[in-house]
Amino acid sequence: MPERKEKFYLTTPIYYTNGLPHVGHTYTTVVCDTVRRYKRMRGYDVVMTTGTDEHGVNVERAAKKAGIPESEFVANMAEAWRALWDELGIAADEFVRTTDIKHVRAVQWLFKLCKENGYVYKGHYTGQYCIYDNAFVNDAKPGENCPDCGRPLETLTEQNYFFKLSAFQKPLLDFYRKNPDFIQPESRKNEIVTFVEGGLKDLSITRTTIRWGIPVPGEEPHVFYVWFDALTAYLSAVGGPDYEKRGMWPADVHFVGKDIIRFHTVYWPAFLMAAMLPLPKQVWAHGWFLMDAAKMSKSKGNVVLPRPIANMLGMDALRYFMLREVVFGQDGNFSYDSLVTRYNSDLANGLGNLASRTAALIEKNFAGRVPKPAERQAQDDALAKEAQSAIGEVLERFDKMEFARALEAIWGVIAAADKYLTTEQPWALGTSEADLERKATILWTSAELLRIVSALAHPVLPDSTAKVWTLLGQTTSLDSVELDGLRWGQLVPGTALGKSQTLFPRVEKTEAIERIESMANEELNSASAAPKPASAPAAPATTAAATAAPVVPEKIGIEDFAKVEMRVGQIKTAERIVGADKLLKLTVDIGTEIRQICAGIAQYYEPEALIGRKVAVVVNLAPRKLRGVESNGMVVAASVGPEGRPVLAGFLEDVEVGARLK
Ligand code: MSP
């Protein structure tokens, strides 16, 4: 433990405001929050920054589409991001918005320093630009698509300010050599070193074609290019020009996804070197959460939303799953099936069951007070030893960002305790003095183990471990417990247990998945019901968005209705989906093609009766997976009665397949 409080500064990327958080963004943020909590429990003075990246042509266009000023648009979106983080137990200390005045000043200051030191010059640039990623794509030819997101590039020629990135090839390579831990994991380091060794081109850092950006002082209409603007957020969050006063800079670790590692390990240190400012100590690039082997993205229609999962299983379940399931640094697959399986086995049957069993037995046998252990037997000592040695192992794993291994070690101890209770059977002991003593020893041991486990797992499961802590009668706040002082044997006999509560009620898998998916669909539908920005929902279905200034006009114009392409379709095949009671898988002829569409009508329609039926189909809905089955369009139905019974819309006259509904 540090003697006096050592500082630790960590950051998430700042997220674009033209979309809402999905499980991918949530992952980076949860990791960062976990480390923040962990470091605090190791006695550090910690600051964590997250925030929103609010400038650029995407936002300009999205706001225009939504019919509101950019400032209002980004304020709504920032609020929605902030609210979701709150709901997921993310306790960032700083939420920086790139439209904050303190950030604007910091960017202008950094530019001035780079310019004064001779690393900035004026020039012309013509190139292929991806408006979605806010980046020129080097070497791309006109007419090509963006190699990252696959969307069309645009040709742009501008007078720009350039940053002399080319001057930093050697300094950067020297820096990587002298700071071997700067880029993590190791595999990513090689990729970056090879890239820098290949030569660095100067970088255009301002734009004159974009209006929505931070102005370059005295050089209007130049505004800063998004990455020069965005990266500076890490510094502006902790003081900007006055960073020395706050004492947090340089960052100890920037957590990022592998998609943006180059910006963080090449551009960012080069900007800082040019300005002669201290460099961050580490950039940790994790892998992607994949859905069916592809990176989640709204345009692919394969995003998983965090809120429905948190609503159904609790935010801790999502946090636990993300950190337990994937080796940090590598890509991982997201599946509702494994999420719910882990929830039931590790949380409901594991931690939850151990806590409720132990508390109930103490309640029943010792009037709700932690009993005083009597003489210990070998098996008690063995469990104590296992728990004590887990403390060291877990800390070591957390230090190395091996979250899955840390959790594995903690759950190893939980499993051992479970086995111990099953073997010792305290419930089968009688009321003789010897039996009571034995019972006391067993239950004290089990409760002490729970105390240790709660403290160790707290950074990952802040909510439920705090409940176990209170259940064990602990009055200090679990956040403030110092892990370095955690030892076996500190549970004081006689402590009155707190009120018992259900931690993780077991769920039935199929039903849980259906509920999560239906909440997710509702959230996506209500977001897309609003006139939305090019690549993002404008009116997110969040509590925060609901209270923020409304984005949605009460009535829509005909041009909005025209966006929905509805056509007459004819059902060709219909079948039930195994494990999804409510869904039917249909193939529907829409005139130009045969589409596969899932419809939530299985409880009301027999598949055979649907063959040949003509229905109204929304054909330009982004494809989406339902229970792992792709659904490419939507069959329109009325929702009848309080239970929302679906009644398919149809036609009284014969209509041609493919005819458009207007
Ligand atoms: N605004 C820039 C970052 C500027 S930082 C100075 C940006 N924003 S973003 O909204 O696109 O968020 C990118 C980050 O979200 C990724 O780097 C990653 O951390 C996270 N993820 C987005 N999708 C992801 C997955 N599917 N899986 C895991 N994380 C991913 O880029």
Side-chain angles (χ1 to χ4, degrees):
M1 187 174 65
E3 301 246 304
R4 64 183 175 79
K5 283 205 164 185
E6 222 174 273
K7 71 100 187 167
F8 195 87
Y9 178 39
L10 72 173
T11 65
T12 74
I14 52 163
Y15 301 102
Y16 288 131
T17 41
N18 58 344
L20 285 171
H22 55 60
V23 156
H25 308 114
T26 308
Y27 182 52
T28 321
T29 316
V30 162
V31 162
C32 197
D33 182 70
T34 296
V35 175
R36 170 195 171 275
R37 290 172 185 275
Y38 169 70
K39 286 287 178 185
R40 196 153 281 183
M41 291 177 84
R42 295 298 302 267
Y44 286 83
D45 175 15
V46 188
V47 167
M48 166 177 160
T49 287
T50 188
T52 39
D53 192 350
E54 303 185 358
H55 290 123
V57 76
N58 274 348
V59 167
E60 209 171 298
R61 292 181 182 180
K64 196 165 166 216
K65 233 175 186 173
I68 54 171
E70 288 94 349
S71 55
E72 199 178 311
F73 181 84
V74 292
N76 291 342
M77 293 303 270
E79 213 31 65
W81 281 79
R82 209 196 291 255
L84 179 73
W85 296 150
D86 276 355
E87 283 173 47
L88 297 179
I90 309 291
D93 306 279
E94 295 292 337
F95 188 99
V96 65
R97 297 182 51 194
T98 54
T99 48
D100 287 340
I101 186 69
K102 68 173 184 189
H103 174 74
V104 170
R105 296 223 171 95
V107 172
Q108 294 173 339
W109 161 74
L110 185 70
F111 177 75
K112 189 165 159 269
L113 292 179
C114 292
K115 199 162 171 239
E116 280 169 2
N117 294 338
Y119 292 107
V120 166
Y121 63 93
K122 236 180 202 173
H124 277 93
Y125 185 84
T126 298
Q128 297 305 308
Y129 188 77
C130 176
I131 58 153
Y132 301 98
D133 298 339
N134 284 317
F136 275 105
V137 178
N138 288 337
D139 309 322
K141 297 191 182 56
E144 282 184 3
N145 289 338
C146 173
D148 283 336
C149 71
R151 288 179 273 199
L153 294 168
E154 292 182 12
T155 305
L156 275 186
T157 297
E158 288 194 296
Q159 188 189 52
N160 289 171
Y161 270 106
F162 280 79
F163 176 80
K164 273 193 205 165
L165 188 62
S166 54
F168 291 92
Q169 183 186 36
K170 187 166 179 312
L172 281 169
L173 291 171
D174 287 347
F175 176 70
Y176 303 148
R177 216 173 3 258
K178 284 192 202 128
N179 298 277
D181 294 335
F182 176 63
I183 305 171
Q184 291 294 327
E186 196 66 20
S187 52
R188 301 260 164 240
K189 181 160 108 186
N190 306 336
E191 171 190 317
I192 294 299
V193 169
T194 311
F195 170 74
V196 176
E197 279 172 349
L200 295 173
K201 288 191 187 142
D202 290 350
L203 199 69
S204 115
I205 56 166
T206 68
R207 294 280 177 276
T208 50
T209 42
I210 301 174
R211 206 176 37 80
W212 182 242
I214 297 177
V216 181
E219 295 286 345
E220 290 82 358
H222 280 272
V223 299
F224 287 99
Y225 159 73
V226 285
W227 281 100
F228 192 87
D229 169 351
L231 289 159
T232 311
Y234 299 138
L235 197 43
S236 60
V238 289
D242 294 326
Y243 71 91
E244 276 166 316
K245 257 194 232 153
R246 178 93 181 254
M248 278 293 158
W249 190 258
D252 291 273
V253 54
H254 292 310
F255 285 108
V256 297
K258 64 180 184 181
D259 46 335
I260 54 174
I261 188 170
R262 202 178 281 181
F263 301 107
H264 284 78
T265 56
V266 182
Y267 297 4
W268 183 224
F271 296 159
L272 292 166
M273 282 177 186
M276 294 207 247
L277 291 170
L279 268 50
K281 295 189 187 147
Q282 193 168 71
V283 176
W284 235 109
H286 62 72
W288 285 337
F289 252 112
L290 307 174
M291 193 65 180
D292 307 310
K295 187 187 176 214
M296 272 178 216
S297 91
K298 194 153 188 298
S299 55
K300 287 194 206 114
N302 66 348
V303 293
V304 177
L305 299 181
R307 185 178 279 111
I309 298 173
N311 284 348
M312 180 71 210
L313 305 174
M315 66 172 186
D316 280 6
L318 176 60
R319 293 173 64 109
Y320 175 78
F321 175 75
M322 289 196 289
L323 295 187
R324 177 69 185 82
E325 193 74 3
V326 178
V327 174
F328 192 60
Q330 295 176 11
D331 288 350
N333 252 316
F334 189 93
S335 102
Y336 284 127
D337 208 280
S338 11
L339 166 76
V340 180
T341 303
R342 276 228 179 267
Y343 171 86
N344 276 334
S345 67
D346 298 10
L347 300 179
N349 292 351
L351 178 59
N353 187 38
L354 181 66
S356 61
R357 266 218 281 188
T358 307
L361 286 167
I362 293 179
E363 201 59 59
K364 185 165 166 229
N365 294 283
F366 298 98
R369 289 194 176 266
V370 174
K372 189 170 184 311
E375 205 177 316
R376 289 192 314 261
Q377 297 184 0
Q379 59 276 35
D380 312 326
D381 284 338
L383 194 64
K385 206 166 150 220
E386 202 169 330
Q388 179 63 44
S389 75
I391 299 176
E393 169 165 9
V394 170
L395 301 196
E396 202 185 316
R397 298 290 183 195
F398 270 130
D399 282 338
K400 293 187 183 154
M401 314 281 179
E402 294 174 352
F403 308 109
R405 301 295 289 275
L407 292 171
E408 208 179 305
I410 299 172
W411 260 258
V413 175
I414 293 176
D418 231 24
K419 201 161 150 217
Y420 167 83
L421 283 183
T422 310
T423 320
E424 297 305 308
Q425 302 202 350
W427 48 86
L429 293 168
T431 48
S432 69
E433 198 178 324
D435 271 8
L436 277 177
E437 281 190 351
R438 183 68 202 130
K439 224 188 275 189
T441 309
I442 298 167
L443 292 178
W444 179 87
T445 304
S446 170
E448 172 59 345
L449 183 134
L450 263 176
R451 189 187 66 91
I452 303 259
V453 156
S454 312
L456 291 177
H458 185 60
V460 180
L461 300 138
D463 191 42
S464 39
T465 51
K467 284 184 185 155
V468 179
W469 195 251
T470 314
L471 178 66
L472 294 171
Q474 307 301 298
T475 47
T476 48
S477 135
L478 185 48
D479 295 317
S480 61
V481 167
E482 297 223 339
L483 289 174
D484 294 78
L486 188 67
R487 303 259 179 292
W488 181 267
Q490 292 163 326
L491 180 63
V492 181
T495 307
L497 294 193
K499 236 179 102 217
S500 81
Q501 36 196 327
T502 316
L503 288 173
F504 305 105
R506 258 193 83 85
V507 296
E508 201 279 308
K509 193 194 271 180
T510 314
E511 200 185 310
I513 297 179
E514 277 184 15
R515 282 186 59 187
I516 295 173
E517 285 193 331
S518 110
M519 282 189 270
N521 284 341
E522 232 167 78
E523 193 170 326
L524 286 168
N525 286 341
S526 64
S528 55
K532 52 176 197 165
S535 60
T542 67
T543 32
T547 53
V551 173
V552 201
E554 278 185 3
K555 302 241 190 254
I556 59 165
I558 187 75
E559 69 285 359
D560 289 317
F561 177 69
K563 284 183 202 152
V564 182
E565 188 183 339
M566 258 191 283
R567 294 196 178 269
V568 176
Q570 186 167 34
I571 299 177
K572 293 286 170 199
T573 64
E575 59 185 273
R576 297 193 181 275
I577 299 173
V578 182
D581 298 349
K582 295 190 183 135
L583 287 182
L584 285 187
K585 184 166 88 179
L586 311 174
T587 50
V588 183
D589 182 355
I590 57 162
T592 45
E593 60 184 297
I594 308 276
R595 289 279 185 89
Q596 176 170 300
I597 299 177
C598 296
I601 54 174
Q603 288 165 317
Y604 302 93
Y605 288 90
E606 284 306 321
E608 308 76 52
L610 290 170
I611 315 290
R613 184 162 174 159
K614 289 192 175 159
V615 285
V617 181
V618 180
V619 297
N620 63 341
L621 205 62
R624 173 180 310 170
K625 287 255 158 130
L626 296 168
R627 302 307 310 276
V629 180
E630 174 149 312
S631 182
N632 197 357
M634 186 176 82
V635 175
V636 179
S639 172
V640 179
E643 81 282 19
R645 177 170 63 90
V647 176
L648 288 173
F651 306 91
L652 293 174
E653 293 164 44
D654 195 25
V655 279
E656 196 185 321
V657 170
R660 182 156 186 188
L661 276 77
K662 292 186 176 179

